[in-house]
Each structure stands twice: as structure tokens, then as C-alpha cells.
Amino acid sequence: YGRIGWLGAFLYVICGALRLARFNIQVDTVEKQFFKGLPIPAAATMVATTILIHYKWFGSGTIKEFIIPIMTYVLAYLMVSNVQYLSFKDLDLVKKKPFHTLVFVVILLTVVVAEPEIMLFLLISLYVISGPIAALRRLSRKGATEE
């Protein structure tokens, strides 16, 4: 990708460092249910699973499309944005132990093991877009209540 690729990689690393710095500063003041900005492991997983899904569908070779650079820029922005993402820190599955949750987890793991590239890509994609979708929903509700 030449300079566009180098700039994307640099931006991704810088935004990751800024996000980590913000996380470390706000660790005591932020609510535990949400992260502010896309977590770095989620962004990295999105890039990795996109490459895995490309090789699964198209075989070996380079990705010539500009999907990866554009995605890298978007992920870098989401890491430093104020978009809220679920943290899953408050999941208390050990104490509650609901049967339906156990069944759901077993089914989900079975499907992921059957097609790991596709399912991991879909799951992380859903997580990445969940933040902007929730933010848009909050904005539309806020606009509706003001009217």
C-alpha cells in the first residue's frame, strides 16, 4: 500500500498508545460497564480476522483492495473516539449459572469451532459496529426527546 499503508500503520499504533494512555488515566473514573473507545485487542482482532477471512475465501495472495487501509484508519479513529463499547466486566456467569446461558455458550463455541475464521470475523465485526450503532441510537433518542 506504500505511503498510505505506512501512514495507516503509524496512525494505528499512535491511536493505540493514546487509547491506552487515556484508559490508564481514567481507570478510576469510568463506569465499568463500558469502555470509552474501541479496545485495542478488539481492533487488532478485527484486522487479523479480516486477513484470515480473505485467505479462506480467496486463497493465498495479497489483498489488493483498499479494505485494509480504510479499515485501519477507521479502527484507529474508533480507538480514540468517545464511542462506548460494552466491557463485559460485569458478566457474573459464575454466580448466576443460568442454564440457558450455558446452552448458548456451548452452541456458540460449537459454531466457532466449526468455522473459526468466519465466526470470529462475524463476532468481532458485530462488536466493532455495536458501538457506533448504539451511539447513533442514543443520538436519535436524544433528538426525539428534544422535539
Side-chain angles (χ1 to χ4, degrees):
Y1 301 112
R3 288 185 180 181
I4 292 173
W6 280 104
L7 181 62
F10 179 74
L11 185 66
Y12 185 88
V13 170
I14 294 299
C15 288
L18 290 172
R19 195 224 177 279
L20 185 59
R22 180 175 67 185
F23 177 78
N24 288 334
I25 290 171
Q26 296 177 342
V27 72
D28 294 329
T29 61
V30 176
E31 59 184 285
K32 294 184 183 215
Q33 188 177 4
F34 294 102
F35 289 122
K36 187 180 264 190
L38 182 66
I40 298 169
T45 304
M46 185 69 208
V47 172
T49 58
T50 301
I51 292 169
L52 286 174
I53 200 88
H54 177 270
Y55 283 117
K56 179 168 181 65
W57 285 343
F58 304 112
S60 63
T62 60
I63 303 175
K64 297 193 186 281
E65 300 87 17
F66 282 95
I67 293 171
I68 297 293
I70 290 170
M71 183 179 61
T72 304
Y73 289 120
V74 170
L75 292 172
Y77 169 74
L78 287 173
M79 283 192 285
V80 295
S81 71
N82 289 327
V83 174
Q84 291 183 337
Y85 285 89
L86 284 174
S87 69
F88 301 108
K89 291 179 183 177
D90 291 337
L91 285 180
D92 199 11
L93 298 177
V94 176
K95 290 182 183 175
K96 293 182 182 178
K97 297 181 186 176
F99 181 73
H100 63 279
T101 304
L102 178 64
V103 171
F104 175 75
V105 168
V106 168
I107 291 171
L108 183 66
L109 286 175
T110 303
V111 172
V112 168
V113 169
E115 289 291 338
E117 296 93 349
I118 295 170
M119 288 308 299
L120 291 174
F121 176 76
L122 288 176
L123 290 173
I124 198 64
S125 296
L126 288 174
Y127 183 71
V128 168
I129 65 171
S130 70
I133 288 173
L136 289 173
R137 289 180 65 196
R138 279 191 297 276
L139 283 174
S140 68
R141 285 186 196 151
K142 185 178 177 182
T145 57
E146 288 177 357
E147 293 175 2

